[in-house]
Amino acid sequence: MTGITYGDAMKIPGDHIQITTDTWTEPFWQAAKAERLTACQCGACGHFRMPPTAFCPNCQSQKVNWPALPGTGTVFSFAICNKSPFPDVPDFVYVPVVVDLDGAPGARLVSNLVGMPAEDVVIGMKVRVDWNDIRDGWKLPIFRKA
Ligand SMILES: [Zn+2]
């Protein structure tokens, strides 16, 4: 891409990640704990929305479904971060990514892409979900090249 070599995109250490949930987000995290990727879908009109919110932006309904998604998607956007947030790991490289989720038209998930050279990530690349164990027994969806 630019001729710069960053090294492999790495997983954020799970003990550094803590989540909070509420009525509207907990079903997403409970599904993730079971390694099932889902997205918030309006129970009235079928419109997908991520992150989950109390009211459908399309029809204002509060009914929601949480369908199981195939766990695949497409890179919509990404960044390469090579300023380590961890003083003890100076060469830490991570790639925040925005993924268009298969099976949930219009829904995008902000996540991290791991397990490949950061300089090889491209928009439009197919990815597949994986899971990162984080604090308090929760799991965070992350993505790898499909
Ligand atoms: Zn709706």
Side-chain angles (χ1 to χ4, degrees):
M1 189 164 56
T2 60
I4 297 172
T5 301
Y6 296 97
D8 276 356
M10 299 163 85
K11 209 190 288 193
I12 307 281
D15 60 347
H16 285 270
I17 304 172
Q18 183 163 17
I19 62 161
T20 57
T21 65
D22 62 27
T23 302
W24 301 104
T25 59
E26 177 141 0
F28 176 85
W29 293 108
Q30 290 292 354
K33 195 181 264 187
E35 300 193 352
R36 185 172 61 84
L37 189 65
T38 185
C40 184
Q41 182 183 32
C42 177
C45 78
H47 180 83
F48 279 95
R49 62 186 190 270
M50 287 297 283
T53 51
F55 295 92
C56 173
N58 190 49
C59 77
Q60 287 72 53
S61 172
Q62 288 195 290
K63 293 181 186 154
V64 290
N65 296 326
W66 293 95
L69 302 180
T72 53
T74 305
V75 173
F76 174 77
S77 185
F78 70 98
I80 297 173
C81 300
N82 64 345
K83 300 291 184 213
S84 177
F86 309 117
D88 54 326
V89 191
D91 295 327
F92 194 86
V93 173
Y94 61 107
V95 177
V97 66
V98 182
V99 176
D100 271 321
L101 298 175
D102 288 349
R108 293 183 176 133
L109 188 65
V110 178
S111 181
N112 286 290
L113 189 76
V114 303
M116 65 178 289
E119 62 272 16
D120 291 345
V121 179
V122 293
I123 288 170
M125 191 175 81
K126 298 301 287 183
V127 291
R128 173 173 297 282
V129 74
D130 195 3
W131 304 96
N132 188 0
D133 293 320
I134 58 173
R135 283 192 191 173
D136 304 322
W138 296 102
K139 289 180 184 243
L140 179 75
I142 56 176
F143 286 84
R144 296 179 184 276
K145 186 175 184 177

